[in-house]
Amino acid sequence: MAGLNLIEQGRLHSPWITHFDTGSCNGCDIEVLACLTPKFDVERFGILNKGNPKHTDVFLVTGPVTKRSKQRLINLYEQAPGPKVVIAIGSCACSGGVYGDCYNVEGGIDQILPVDVYIPGCAAKPEAIIDGVVVALEKLKNLMLEAKK
Ligand code: SF4
């Protein structure tokens, strides 16, 4: 990949992921975990669910943002050195979904963080999640290239 150093190419070919649930029903979380099972096996593409915000290339966020989880979400995001991308998984993460009008819900992820990729669905399907990661990696590559200008 022209213009990118070895570390950047490594990040794109084997992205490390942090998955955070801001208040979902766990339906979308189960689909994220399904991506790791032998049927989908995203690790064969080098995608690793590390859960360490300090080494995160891609944030997968599920659920509507509750008032209780809001600050934790911000803390996790700010620990990642960047460039980094955020994927909102499921209708709740995209817009608040069925929980949107609840007294303790702030709304979708984009009310708190900049979201790069939206994956709708209740629950979001594993195929759509994997496709979203591919789109997110293209955005991550563009962010890396823009940082060099
Ligand atoms: S989109 Fe549906 S499955 Fe996913 S967290 Fe919301 S209610 Fe649950």
Side-chain angles (χ1 to χ4, degrees), residues 6-42:
L6 197 58
I7 291 174
E8 290 164 335
Q9 290 185 41
R11 290 181 67 188
L12 291 171
H13 282 106
S14 182
W16 286 17
I17 281 172
T18 291
H19 166 209
F20 185 57
D21 168 10
T22 55
S24 83
C25 73
N26 286 148
C28 287
D29 304 295
I30 290 168
E31 301 301 339
V32 170
L33 292 178
C35 297
L36 301 171
T37 60
K39 181 172 180 182
F40 297 101
D41 192 16
V42 291

Side-chain angles (χ1 to χ4, degrees), residues 20-96:
F20 185 57
D21 168 10
T22 55
S24 83
C25 73
N26 286 148
C28 287
D29 304 295
I30 290 168
E31 301 301 339
V32 170
L33 292 178
C35 297
L36 301 171
T37 60
K39 181 172 180 182
F40 297 101
D41 192 16
V42 291
E43 288 195 359
R44 72 196 144 120
F45 302 125
I47 301 169
L48 302 180
N49 189 358
K50 287 289 188 179
N52 183 341
K54 291 178 183 165
H55 296 160
T56 292
D57 302 306
V58 181
F59 273 105
L60 302 184
V61 189
T62 56
V65 182
T66 62
K67 293 188 189 306
R68 183 172 279 192
S69 67
K70 176 180 170 183
Q71 192 55 52
R72 287 181 197 149
L73 176 64
I74 293 169
N75 290 348
L76 285 172
Y77 180 79
E78 289 182 346
Q79 284 182 68
K84 54 203 170 190
V85 286
V86 177
I87 306 179
I89 297 180
S91 302
C92 293
C94 291
S95 66

Side-chain angles (χ1 to χ4, degrees), residues 74-140:
I74 293 169
N75 290 348
L76 285 172
Y77 180 79
E78 289 182 346
Q79 284 182 68
K84 54 203 170 190
V85 286
V86 177
I87 306 179
I89 297 180
S91 302
C92 293
C94 291
S95 66
V98 292
Y99 301 111
D101 292 330
C102 289
Y103 70 94
N104 61 339
V105 166
E106 299 265 345
I109 308 303
D110 60 5
Q111 301 298 306
I112 313 298
L113 301 181
V115 172
D116 298 282
V117 179
Y118 295 83
I119 303 175
C122 181
K125 295 177 73 174
E127 295 92 334
I129 295 170
I130 295 169
D131 194 45
V133 171
V134 172
V135 173
L137 290 176
E138 194 59 35
K139 292 204 163 192
L140 185 60

